[in-house]
Amino acid sequence: MTERLQTLSGLAPTAKLPAYDRNQLKSGILHLGPGAFFRAHFAPFTDAALAAEGGDWGIEVASLRTADVADHLNEQNGLYTMLIRDTSGTVAQVIGPILRAHVATRDPAGLLDRLEDPAIRIVSLTVTEKAYGMDTATGGLDLNHADVAADLANRHAPRGVIGYLVEGLSRRRAKGIAPFTPLSCDNLPSNGAVLKRLVLDFAERVDPSLRQWIETNVPFPSTMVDRITPASVEATYRDAERLTGRQDLAAIETEPFTQWVIEDHFANGRPAWDKAGALMVTDVSAYEKMKLRMLNGAHSLLAYLGYIGGYEFIRDVMDDAGLAALAYRHMHAAARTLDAVPGIDLDDYASELIARFANKAIAHRTYQIAMDGTQKLPQRLLEPATEALAHGDKAETYAIAVAAWMRYAIGEHGNGERYELRDPRAGEIAALIADVPRTGLAISAALFTLPGLFPAALTGRRAWTQDVSDKLEILIQDDRLPLF
């Protein structure tokens, strides 16, 4: 059996190694949610920043739920392989900033101790949209969210991300320790502002004076993150072993492109991410809106049409010239809802996105992208659709995308085979459409009533909702029939 990746010595010459001494690293960052995207984006940027300028910015990671990734990282002394794939080949880079991994469900007190440690100056997170416990209708805490409810009832023994952040900050305040900077890296518009709003809402409910202290002393920078990162598969692990000479159960794969835009507002320093290629700005909103609407919106459009049409990967969808053209058309429709983005030509950006989606070396499953639709649709599709209609645009590609999501939400292929929606509101969706006729009009009318999802500015546009209904009817009749 091949030896496990645990040290940097003796690796194959094809592996690119960290350009700094890992033995000199000290913890400065605690990251919540060590999933594939963190390992393909945040950690490599930090790896490059350490190579450029050094510093006490080693990373500890913590999983709030499952233990497998944390266990694999601990077994490998924090090392893992990032495979960068394109049509010219695969590059293997061993990433080195991670020092240790924690599992909150095993040792919640230990995680709270790390949040309290003054050495930890940044607490970053990639926990997906649904973990924030936000009520999409009000923008505040969802008091029915299981973690939010549990943490409000027992604030000193949290289990959810907002509860942990508030308790960690509370302990620091009580002991006179400078606060850490919470840094959201999730695909949410104004993610820092969202995180701040939820943290302040929680703090107000448990200790109004704590809320005031947080509001005065704790910055919440927003970020825009971009790198396509498919789920790891057996080929990922095989190629990592082939290119490093070591077995790696934490290996991930990604594309060559990577982008990170960060609001440069930190309480107690940061790594030299700018020297690693990150763009440090005063306001990230223009960049994140561009990415959410042009990249993520088109990605969702292709994922829903592709999945219900029988395409396993986005690269396969892009082989359909009509669907590729539809994605390009949607990107330009999304661009019309944007203000100018400093340093970005939106036409060039759209062309670059098309090329990235079509990258044959990246196997990004349509089913993976399709998950959690009720969390993603508002910022990716519904908000820009509302703006487009308000400015006299017909918003046709948005109607196609929403119809495709509704067809996906039925949870059944054309041959009658069922599939899991993998959406936090799957039960509500199923209940809404359980007893309605299987027609575009009936299904769309039911789903338009899903509380807090579709704004009245959209559902009140009769011509547009009829367009969605008509397109949904076509998809119900024939999953593969093109809509362009």
Side-chain angles (χ1 to χ4, degrees):
M1 180 179 292
T2 306
E3 185 180 344
R4 193 76 175 271
L5 174 63
Q6 293 179 323
T7 73
L8 296 175
S9 61
L11 299 187
T14 46
K16 180 181 177 182
L17 306 183
Y20 52 88
D21 184 356
R22 293 187 78 234
N23 293 321
Q24 299 302 312
L25 286 183
K26 296 179 181 178
S27 298
I29 299 170
L30 176 64
H31 185 88
L32 308 180
F37 187 79
F38 158 77
R39 284 174 282 144
H41 191 272
F42 187 103
F45 264 102
T46 306
D47 188 84
L50 290 168
E53 196 170 276
D56 292 338
W57 295 109
I59 304 171
E60 297 185 33
V61 300
S63 172
L64 300 186
R65 291 290 181 268
T66 57
D68 53 345
V69 172
D71 287 345
H72 293 327
L73 288 170
N74 279 331
E75 291 159 3
Q76 298 176 183
N77 294 316
L79 295 171
Y80 68 93
T81 309
M82 176 176 67
L83 301 178
I84 303 173
R85 298 192 188 275
D86 66 13
T87 52
S88 64
T90 299
V91 174
Q93 181 177 353
V94 178
I95 305 298
I98 299 174
L99 300 179
R100 62 187 62 87
H102 309 273
V103 180
T105 52
R106 289 180 184 159
D107 185 15
L111 178 53
L112 287 171
D113 287 343
R114 302 312 299 134
L115 287 165
E116 188 179 325
D117 189 334
I120 299 298
R121 286 156 285 160
I122 295 172
V123 177
S124 50
L125 49 153
T126 47
V127 293
T128 74
E129 296 95 326
K130 59 188 173 185
Y132 284 72
M134 182 175 68
D135 184 332
T136 56
T138 67
L141 286 172
D142 178 1
L143 301 182
N144 294 317
H145 188 280
D147 288 344
V148 172
D151 291 351
L152 286 172
N154 191 7
R155 59 169 290 202
H156 298 302
R159 72 183 202 188
V161 63
I162 303 300
Y164 268 111
L165 291 175
V166 172
E167 180 63 13
L169 289 168
S170 176
R171 291 184 176 203
R172 288 189 175 224
R173 175 191 178 223
K175 294 187 176 181
I177 300 171
F180 53 75
T181 297
L183 185 68
S184 172
C185 300
D186 283 297
N187 262 324
L188 286 165
S190 302
N191 52 18
V194 168
L195 184 59
K196 178 179 182 178
R197 187 169 65 244
L198 297 175
V199 165
L200 292 179
D201 189 347
F202 190 103
E204 177 70 29
R205 294 172 186 275
V206 297
D207 181 352
S209 67
L210 174 62
R211 181 198 189 282
Q212 182 60 49
W213 182 84
I214 292 173
E215 189 165 26
T216 301
N217 295 283
V218 182
F220 289 81
S222 287
T223 67
M224 187 275 272
V225 297
D226 186 5
R227 194 170 211 182
I228 294 172
T229 306
S232 296
V233 294
E234 284 305 313
T236 313
Y237 306 118
R238 286 198 305 270
D239 286 351
E241 183 173 336
R242 174 175 59 83
L243 293 169
T244 66
R246 297 288 185 271
Q247 183 188 36
D248 182 354
L249 298 183
I252 51 95
E253 61 180 76
T254 190
E255 63 172 336
F257 179 91
T258 187
Q259 186 177 43
W260 199 8
V261 186
I262 310 169
E263 291 178 350
D264 200 3
H265 186 201
F266 290 80
N268 196 12
R270 60 166 174 81
W273 286 319
D274 50 320
K275 294 185 178 179
L279 183 60
M280 310 304 298
V281 301
T282 56
D283 184 357
V284 78
S285 58
Y287 299 91
E288 70 179 9
K289 189 177 289 187
M290 173 191 74
K291 189 250 182 176
L292 284 165
R293 295 185 178 190
M294 293 184 69
L295 187 157
N296 297 125
H299 229 191
S300 290
L301 168 67
L302 293 173
Y304 293 121
L305 285 175
Y307 185 74
I308 63 179
Y311 293 108
E312 184 175 7
F313 302 113
I314 289 292
R315 66 188 185 192
D316 301 330
V317 183
M318 296 300 290
D319 285 337
D320 185 314
L323 291 177
L326 176 62
Y328 194 67
R329 183 153 59 98
H330 179 75
M331 290 175 193
H332 282 278
R336 291 195 295 272
T337 71
L338 301 174
D339 296 326
V341 183
I344 303 291
D345 181 297
L346 295 180
D347 287 337
D348 291 346
Y349 182 64
S351 297
E352 185 177 52
L353 291 178
I354 291 295
R356 291 170 63 193
F357 289 173
N359 183 352
K360 291 296 183 186
I362 295 295
H364 206 177
R365 283 185 165 82
T366 54
Y367 190 41
Q368 178 188 356
I369 301 164
M371 69 186 297
D372 297 337
T374 57
Q375 304 291 309
K376 297 173 179 176
L377 259 65
Q379 61 268 26
R380 297 184 179 196
L381 295 165
L382 305 184
E383 290 173 10
T386 301
E387 293 178 19
L389 288 167
H391 289 90
D393 192 313
K394 292 183 179 180
E396 182 191 13
T397 61
Y398 294 101
I400 295 172
V402 170
W405 172 76
M406 289 181 170
R407 174 62 187 86
Y408 169 82
I410 293 174
E412 185 177 296
H413 291 295
N415 62 6
E417 180 185 353
R418 301 288 301 176
Y419 52 85
E420 182 185 356
L421 290 192
R422 301 200 300 179
D423 188 289
R425 303 185 70 179
E428 293 177 75
I429 291 169
L432 280 174
I433 64 175
D435 298 319
V436 302
R438 192 60 59 87
T439 66
L441 180 61
I443 296 290
S444 64
L447 291 177
F448 276 135
T449 68
L450 189 64
L453 182 60
F454 291 96
L458 276 183
T459 56
R461 297 268 185 168
R462 183 175 177 81
W464 189 81
T465 58
Q466 184 63 52
D467 196 18
V468 172
S469 171
D470 292 344
K471 289 175 167 56
L472 176 57
E473 181 64 28
I474 293 170
L475 286 173
I476 289 172
Q477 296 301 320
D478 185 349
D479 292 344
R480 299 295 300 269
L481 192 64
L483 299 174
F484 38 81

